[in-house]
Amino acid sequence: EDGRRITFELATDHVLRLRITPGATYQRNLSYAVLPRKGKKVDYKLTQEYGYARVVTQSLDIELHPAPFSMRVKDLSGRVLFETGGRAFKYDGEAVTFTRRAKKGELSLGMGEVGETFDRTGHRHILWNIDDFSRNPRQNFYCQIPFVLHVNPTNGDTFGLFIDNPGKQIWDLGKTRPASFTYQTVSGDFDLWLMFSRSIAETLRDWADFFFYLYGDHRDLHSYPTRRSSDLATVPEIAG
């Protein structure tokens, strides 16, 4: 898409990964945030529907639309858990911005020490662990984690979202447009993980199983080498 490459992978039947490069080739496929993990083979069914690819696992029914790229995730009963709308990604130089539709009243929990309220919805956050004393200390701390729990207030359904990128990120969780949440990486690969674990406790369990974090400093992870998990089922690449 626009000269970039998008790869979709299944880590489990309910944990997904989207990776997009700002150029024609990916940067080194190595993460110090992803723990080495030996998992079971992920069973899925891939079919080509009219205008989109459909991936069905034991937990999810996923639609992948290629041009422009968009995605919708449903449970097996057909209930929509996540959707991006007509165009998921926008590009500005190296910056990649991902947009999705938000549920009415949706809660956003986590992200480490950012903002001034427990619920991060309705605010714009800059996630960047850097020594910059000009920042507003109430808005920017030194323990920022690009992981959030999005909770549907009507039924408690929860999914986790993590962007594995050690650089500067800008998250607009409904401040500019209440019905849309945007997540931007300024440089490097946009490496998105989605955990559809249904409850807060189960999502946190997946987070603990998959990712390594120490004090929330994404840059410091690069001083604590781990092997990148290779136990991913890769669905045929979607390229544009």
Side-chain angles (χ1 to χ4, degrees):
E1 183 175 72
D2 292 354
R4 287 145 171 99
R5 300 174 61 187
I6 301 173
T7 299
F8 172 82
E9 298 174 328
L10 298 170
T12 72
D13 64 350
H14 63 276
V15 177
L16 318 179
R17 183 190 185 199
L18 271 178
R19 189 178 184 210
I20 181 168
T21 176
T25 59
Y26 289 112
Q27 297 187 11
R28 191 167 61 129
N29 192 14
L30 175 68
S31 171
Y32 296 120
V34 181
L35 287 167
R37 184 176 186 273
K38 292 184 178 180
K40 297 179 180 179
K41 179 181 177 181
V42 182
D43 293 324
Y44 66 90
K45 180 180 180 181
L46 173 64
T47 58
Q48 184 63 52
E49 306 293 340
Y50 183 72
Y52 66 93
R54 183 183 182 193
V55 181
V56 180
T57 72
Q58 293 182 346
S59 301
L60 301 174
D61 187 343
I62 306 156
E63 298 177 9
L64 302 169
H65 299 255
F69 180 84
S70 63
M71 181 172 69
R72 176 181 294 165
V73 180
K74 300 180 288 186
D75 63 19
L76 297 185
S77 70
R79 197 157 51 106
V80 176
L81 305 176
F82 176 97
E83 59 183 334
T84 62
R87 186 183 182 100
F89 292 104
K90 292 184 179 180
Y91 314 101
D92 183 8
E94 285 193 52
V96 178
T97 302
F98 178 74
T99 301
R100 72 171 186 87
R101 292 175 178 168
K103 303 285 188 183
K104 185 177 181 180
E106 182 174 313
L107 303 176
S108 303
L109 312 177
M111 301 166 58
E113 295 179 347
V114 296
E116 300 174 347
T117 61
F118 188 66
D119 178 12
R120 314 305 192 187
T121 297
H123 302 277
R124 181 178 181 270
H125 305 279
I126 297 176
L127 306 179
W128 198 19
N129 294 296
I130 187 172
D131 293 321
D132 179 3
F133 300 104
S134 66
R135 300 177 301 171
N136 182 343
R138 294 186 301 169
Q139 294 289 337
N140 296 280
F141 302 88
Y142 200 66
C143 183
Q144 300 166 354
I145 306 172
F147 169 71
V148 64
L149 299 167
H150 286 302
V151 182
N152 186 335
T154 60
N155 55 21
D157 278 356
T158 301
F159 72 89
L161 182 151
F162 171 60
I163 300 178
D164 186 7
N165 180 303
K168 184 178 182 179
Q169 300 185 32
I170 302 171
W171 291 19
D172 188 330
L173 304 182
K175 179 178 176 62
T176 302
R177 292 186 297 167
S180 295
F181 288 3
T182 64
Y183 314 80
Q184 181 188 80
T185 55
V186 173
S187 61
D189 289 349
F190 187 100
D191 199 348
L192 172 69
W193 292 75
L194 297 169
M195 291 149 267
F196 295 96
S197 314
R198 304 304 294 272
S199 72
I200 291 177
E202 291 173 352
T203 305
L204 290 175
R205 188 175 298 114
D206 280 332
W207 163 256
D209 286 345
F210 271 91
F211 304 107
F212 172 81
Y213 247 88
L214 180 64
Y215 302 122
D217 189 336
H218 205 185
R219 294 179 301 116
D220 278 356
L221 288 176
H222 295 75
S223 301
Y224 296 85
T226 63
R227 298 188 311 276
R228 181 190 167 275
S229 173
S230 59
D231 300 309
L232 298 174
T234 303
V235 176
E237 181 177 290
I238 297 173

